[in-house]
Amino acid sequence: MARSRVKMRDHVAESSLHWRRTLVSFIAIVLLMGVLFANLYHLQVNQHQSYQTRSNDNRIKVVPIAPTRGLIYDRNGVLLAENRPIYSLEITPEKAGDLEATVDALIALLELDPELKERFFHDVRRNRRFNPVVLVSRLNEDQVARFSINQHKFPGAAIEAYLKRHYPYQDTLTHVLGYMAKINDRDLERLREDNKLANYAATRDIGKLGVERYYEDLLHGHVGYQEVEVNNRGRVIRTLKYEPPVPGSDIYLNLDIRLQQQAQKLLAGQRGAIVLMTPKDGQVLAIMSNPSYDPNLFVHGISGPDYKALLENPDRPLINRASQGIYAPASTVKPMLSVMGLNEGAITPSTRYFGGPFFQIPNTKRKFRDWRRWGHGWMDVFRAIEISADTFFYDLAYRTGIDTMHDYMSRFGFGQASGIDLHEEATGIMPSRDWKQRRHKQPWYQGDTISVGIGQGYWTATPLQLARATSIMVDHGDTVHPRLLNAIVLNGNKVSMPISHGEPIVLKQDNYWKVALTGMWRVVNGTEGTARKAFKDTAYVAGGKSGTAQVFSLAENQQYDHQSLREHLRDNALFVAFAPFENPEAVVSVVLENVGGGSTHAAPLARAMLDAYLAPAALSDEEVIADE
């Protein structure tokens, strides 16, 4: 029988193993503690500033504050654009209890549109419950009063006041002032590109058109901010710092609201434009385009049906006809063409010309008819302007050529922006050989030149350009840019804007200006003057020039019949005038669409505007009253 061996325990070896394990564990713990303390040191000491900043970012929130927009006044201090408070009803969901019941009760109490409920809950889902959400953005006084009486029944609901732009003169100034409206994606992109986005952090609206857009930087001001401490849910606990916003600057325009209202009154029921300005310094006193529209519609967000109605209106009220409407200038440019002819030696003050029923380019069969079927007989440049003889200027254009006409008329500002402080301006067309080749891929023909000689053909201009060109005429070649801005209020002081001059037109003899201006005097005061009836018995001496522009080309043997034509094919009526004759203080241009002769229809309006400017006491005080 085999006997098994009994294994004896080696206590010494076990003790040694236990000691080694203990030592390794201790070393490991020490190393780990070292790493832990090293990391703690790194976080608490080395990274202290960084983590403190990040902690503050979570704790402190910067809230931007929108600046108050600057106001707009006319030259006499009449307020044209103001900021009015609107009252908004807002509900904080977490304070409202039964939110749906609260909303239903408020809609019933204030007689609100039930569709607001759906939009409100849509906004609630996109916001935190402790943030207020707008139920209705504009409350009238009656609704404010009804809510105030019953406010104790609606915990979490409150009325907040905001400032919104308001235009008290409504459609009288729309095309000048423009309007404010909500910032859209395109505005954001433009602000981002211009590095101005931060300044609009708290701003909801921006200038879209007119003066509001052109002087946006002046009117907007600079954003302010406050630093507030918030808890871990974003709720504001206290305000740490407050930096007030810088309000936008108030501005004064050269406009006179009474003259602007007079222009609107004269254009009532017609499509057209009137521009009244001072020739010496380019101050625009009135610039009216009709029809117009109420800009307040856009301030609060125009409805779809209202916007569609404006877009589909055949009279196109959205277009500023004064600066964007392009029309053939017709005979209103004959005085400028006379100056060109005199300076180029194509005519002299005593040149005699026989005007028959038509003008014919030598060796061609095409006839260019005069507006008078039987012609005007013998005339000089004075009578040619007075009676607006087409044949005289056909001949002048034939002998000077398009290159010379393009050069001179460009100096009068045709075919280029006038420099007015509006973005909405068309340049019109002052045609040339190069222009026709680029635009129509065709060479220039002599027949094109003849039509340009009476302000027709390819030549187009805006009423604003006509007023500026007339200013250059009466100021003997001194060119000023039309200006709407009169002064800016900076630090409480009214700072006037300087006159903006362009390159002057210098003639060989200053007398050439007097020749053309005398012709314009005879238009108004001569025995054959086309506007002598419209300016009869004025209290001042004026000069002027009528124009009647065809809007389509007649066949060679076709006669113009105003009554048989559809309205949009009838002639446009134009007139430019200035007064007093010896020392002009104002020039005016009038364009009426599809009404007929300029001397019959446009001249009376030009006279009425000059009457209003030179005798402002005749204007009724009640006309300056705006809406409530």
Side-chain angles (χ1 to χ4, degrees), residues 419-471:
I420 192 172
D421 37 355
L422 287 176
H423 290 299
E424 300 80 34
E425 184 180 12
T427 58
I429 298 170
M430 186 60 240
S432 65
R433 299 178 194 275
D434 292 340
W435 171 85
K436 188 179 178 185
Q437 188 64 45
R438 289 196 310 271
R439 179 69 176 271
H440 297 285
K441 311 297 181 190
Q442 292 178 359
W444 188 267
Y445 300 110
Q446 278 190 323
D448 298 330
T449 302
I450 305 307
S451 299
V452 172
I454 60 166
Q456 293 270 181
Y458 295 114
W459 191 351
T460 59
T462 67
L464 184 63
Q465 287 176 326
L466 290 177
R468 182 174 182 244
T470 306
S471 291

Side-chain angles (χ1 to χ4, degrees), residues 45 149 215 303 312 332 403 444 488 509 568 616:
V45 179
I149 295 173
Y215 291 109
S303 67
E312 296 180 351
T332 59
D403 298 334
W444 188 267
I488 304 170
Q509 293 185 33
H568 72 280

Side-chain angles (χ1 to χ4, degrees), residues 252-504:
Y252 286 77
L253 302 183
N254 287 316
L255 291 176
D256 184 329
I257 186 59
R258 296 172 303 172
L259 294 171
Q260 185 75 8
Q261 289 183 316
Q262 173 76 348
Q264 185 181 31
K265 181 180 174 183
L266 294 170
L267 289 172
Q270 304 182 82
R271 297 185 302 276
I274 293 176
V275 178
L276 179 71
M277 61 182 285
T278 55
K280 289 184 172 54
D281 51 18
Q283 295 187 36
V284 178
L285 305 170
I287 177 168
M288 184 68 208
S289 172
N290 200 64
S292 185
Y293 57 94
D294 185 357
N296 293 302
L297 291 172
F298 287 87
V299 175
H300 301 289
I302 190 169
S303 67
D306 285 343
Y307 190 55
K308 184 179 179 182
L310 287 174
L311 286 176
E312 296 180 351
N313 188 328
D315 291 335
R316 298 183 297 170
L318 293 173
I319 293 178
N320 182 359
R321 285 173 161 79
S323 64
Q324 294 177 301
I326 52 174
Y327 309 90
S331 300
T332 59
V333 294
K334 287 175 178 173
M336 297 89 173
L337 292 166
S338 300
V339 169
M340 173 200 70
L342 291 164
N343 202 50
E344 287 298 304
I347 57 174
T348 69
S350 58
T351 295
R352 300 279 291 169
Y353 177 83
F354 184 83
F358 57 85
F359 172 83
Q360 199 165 6
I361 299 174
N363 304 318
T364 65
K365 294 182 179 179
R366 183 176 177 184
K367 298 176 181 176
F368 295 86
R369 291 175 298 183
D370 194 280
W371 66 268
R372 179 182 282 178
R373 293 182 191 176
W374 52 90
H376 300 279
W378 288 103
M379 69 187 86
D380 54 17
V381 64
F382 300 99
R383 185 168 181 259
I385 297 173
E386 179 183 358
I387 60 177
S388 198
D390 289 337
T391 49
F392 183 94
F393 291 94
Y394 287 146
D395 180 69
L396 178 61
Y398 172 72
R399 288 189 289 117
T400 53
I402 185 60
D403 298 334
T404 302
M405 283 197 290
H406 174 80
D407 176 36
Y408 273 83
M409 295 306 106
S410 296
R411 293 194 227 172
F412 278 99
F414 293 108
Q416 53 196 278
S418 70
I420 192 172
D421 37 355
L422 287 176
H423 290 299
E424 300 80 34
E425 184 180 12
T427 58
I429 298 170
M430 186 60 240
S432 65
R433 299 178 194 275
D434 292 340
W435 171 85
K436 188 179 178 185
Q437 188 64 45
R438 289 196 310 271
R439 179 69 176 271
H440 297 285
K441 311 297 181 190
Q442 292 178 359
W444 188 267
Y445 300 110
Q446 278 190 323
D448 298 330
T449 302
I450 305 307
S451 299
V452 172
I454 60 166
Q456 293 270 181
Y458 295 114
W459 191 351
T460 59
T462 67
L464 184 63
Q465 287 176 326
L466 290 177
R468 182 174 182 244
T470 306
S471 291
I472 296 171
M473 275 287 304
V474 304
D475 235 10
H476 292 210
D478 186 17
T479 60
V480 293
H481 298 292
R483 202 74 180 166
L484 286 167
L485 184 63
N486 177 284
I488 304 170
V489 179
L490 296 174
N491 300 320
N493 299 315
K494 197 172 173 182
V495 181
S496 298
M497 292 295 102
I499 301 172
S500 176
H501 288 274
E503 187 71 23

Side-chain angles (χ1 to χ4, degrees), residues 25-309:
S25 299
F26 178 75
I27 292 172
I29 290 171
V30 169
L31 289 175
L32 289 174
M33 289 296 290
V35 170
L36 180 63
F37 280 110
N39 191 47
L40 188 62
Y41 179 85
H42 175 70
L43 294 176
Q44 293 292 330
V45 179
N46 293 342
Q47 298 295 319
H48 170 76
Q49 191 62 42
S50 172
Y51 283 101
Q52 185 180 45
T53 302
R54 292 170 65 178
S55 175
N56 285 340
D57 286 345
N58 292 330
R59 183 177 63 90
I60 300 172
K61 184 177 179 182
V62 177
V63 180
I65 305 171
T68 303
R69 194 171 180 83
L71 305 178
I72 303 176
Y73 298 89
D74 85 340
R75 64 189 299 111
N76 299 312
V78 178
L79 188 59
L80 307 179
E82 59 183 329
N83 302 316
R84 283 189 175 181
I86 63 165
Y87 299 99
S88 169
L89 179 58
E90 301 176 356
I91 303 174
T92 305
E94 75 170 11
K95 297 180 180 177
D98 187 341
L99 185 59
E100 185 159 358
T102 298
V103 171
D104 288 338
L106 285 170
I107 288 176
L109 174 67
L110 304 178
E111 300 176 358
L112 303 175
D113 185 351
E115 293 184 1
L116 290 174
K117 181 178 178 181
E118 182 180 350
R119 191 174 64 189
F120 171 77
F121 278 102
H122 176 267
D123 293 340
V124 168
R125 289 190 288 273
R126 300 175 57 188
N127 282 273
R128 296 185 176 183
R129 290 186 63 78
F130 55 79
N131 284 334
V133 178
V134 175
L135 176 62
V136 56
S137 59
R138 277 192 297 167
L139 294 174
N140 58 39
E141 292 181 0
D142 178 62
Q143 290 170 322
V144 171
R146 270 188 277 170
F147 175 80
S148 299
I149 295 173
N150 296 279
Q151 185 172 4
H152 64 282
K153 300 177 183 176
F154 303 101
I159 290 179
E160 297 292 336
Y162 297 96
L163 291 177
K164 275 281 188 179
R165 206 57 151 179
H166 181 75
Y167 304 99
Y169 290 94
Q170 300 176 350
D171 60 352
T172 306
L173 293 160
T174 304
H175 292 112
V176 187
L177 298 185
Y179 56 81
M180 299 280 296
K182 189 175 180 181
I183 295 175
N184 58 28
D185 292 342
R186 191 165 51 186
D187 299 322
L188 288 174
E189 184 62 28
R190 189 175 70 246
L191 291 171
R192 190 175 292 109
E193 291 175 356
D194 296 341
N195 201 26
K196 299 176 181 174
L197 193 57
N199 199 30
Y200 284 77
T203 303
R204 299 179 180 180
D205 300 328
I206 194 170
K208 295 288 185 177
L209 292 172
V211 168
E212 292 277 27
R213 182 184 172 200
Y214 195 92
Y215 291 109
E216 172 65 28
D217 291 344
L218 271 176
L219 293 166
H220 178 261
H222 294 280
V223 66
Y225 68 91
Q226 61 177 351
E227 287 183 1
V228 296
E229 186 176 4
V230 297
N231 62 16
N232 62 342
R233 300 181 63 186
R235 188 194 304 276
V236 175
I237 299 173
R238 59 177 174 148
T239 299
L240 302 174
K241 185 178 180 182
Y242 178 76
E243 183 72 28
V246 178
S249 300
D250 295 344
I251 62 174
Y252 286 77
L253 302 183
N254 287 316
L255 291 176
D256 184 329
I257 186 59
R258 296 172 303 172
L259 294 171
Q260 185 75 8
Q261 289 183 316
Q262 173 76 348
Q264 185 181 31
K265 181 180 174 183
L266 294 170
L267 289 172
Q270 304 182 82
R271 297 185 302 276
I274 293 176
V275 178
L276 179 71
M277 61 182 285
T278 55
K280 289 184 172 54
D281 51 18
Q283 295 187 36
V284 178
L285 305 170
I287 177 168
M288 184 68 208
S289 172
N290 200 64
S292 185
Y293 57 94
D294 185 357
N296 293 302
L297 291 172
F298 287 87
V299 175
H300 301 289
I302 190 169
S303 67
D306 285 343
Y307 190 55
K308 184 179 179 182

